[in-house]
Amino acid sequence: MANPNKVVGQATITVDGERWPTDGQSTLDIGGVTRNSVIGDYDAGSFNETPRPAQLNCSLLVKEGRSLAQIRAIDNATVSFKTDTGHTYVIRNSYVSEAATLTSNDGKAAVVMMGPPAEELL
């Protein structure tokens, strides 16, 4: 049985079934609906909603055979973000929204992927 006190410490990212080696600092915004305040003359409790895409930010460890041009061209991919606490989120029809930026002194490429709101797999 899992310890209920454990918090997320690691995440595994896969893109179309291929595990990506990352630096362990990935972030996931699952997207969904953003509520925006709408203030009236005598009413401060109103809001409207706008859709927000899911966004995954990660630093990919660039190893031999890794093509940044192929990463930049990713479109209509299935991205999985699985944590060490058992939570899994999937972004379908995902795409790379910003060109991968390679840093030569640490061998990492910053990659930003976006898509429809993520689905949590239970």
Side-chain angles (χ1 to χ4, degrees), residues 65-92:
R66 180 64 65 182
S67 168
L68 294 180
Q70 287 176 334
I71 291 168
R72 182 183 59 219
I74 291 174
D75 185 23
N76 200 28
T78 300
V79 175
S80 172
F81 186 94
K82 183 175 182 178
T83 70
D84 58 349
T85 57
H87 297 91
T88 300
Y89 300 91
V90 176
I91 307 170
R92 302 181 196 286

Side-chain angles (χ1 to χ4, degrees), residues 34-111:
T34 297
R35 292 191 175 121
N36 308 295
S37 294
V38 176
I39 300 171
D41 288 337
Y42 299 99
D43 187 7
S46 301
F47 65 91
N48 63 20
E49 296 180 335
T50 55
R52 188 178 79 247
Q55 180 172 327
L56 171 67
N57 296 294
C58 66
S59 290
L60 178 65
L61 302 179
V62 180
K63 299 180 180 182
E64 185 176 346
R66 180 64 65 182
S67 168
L68 294 180
Q70 287 176 334
I71 291 168
R72 182 183 59 219
I74 291 174
D75 185 23
N76 200 28
T78 300
V79 175
S80 172
F81 186 94
K82 183 175 182 178
T83 70
D84 58 349
T85 57
H87 297 91
T88 300
Y89 300 91
V90 176
I91 307 170
R92 302 181 196 286
N93 309 114
S94 183
Y95 52 90
V96 171
S97 66
E98 296 180 24
T101 305
L102 177 63
T103 306
S104 65
N105 65 343
D106 63 5
K108 299 176 187 177
V111 179

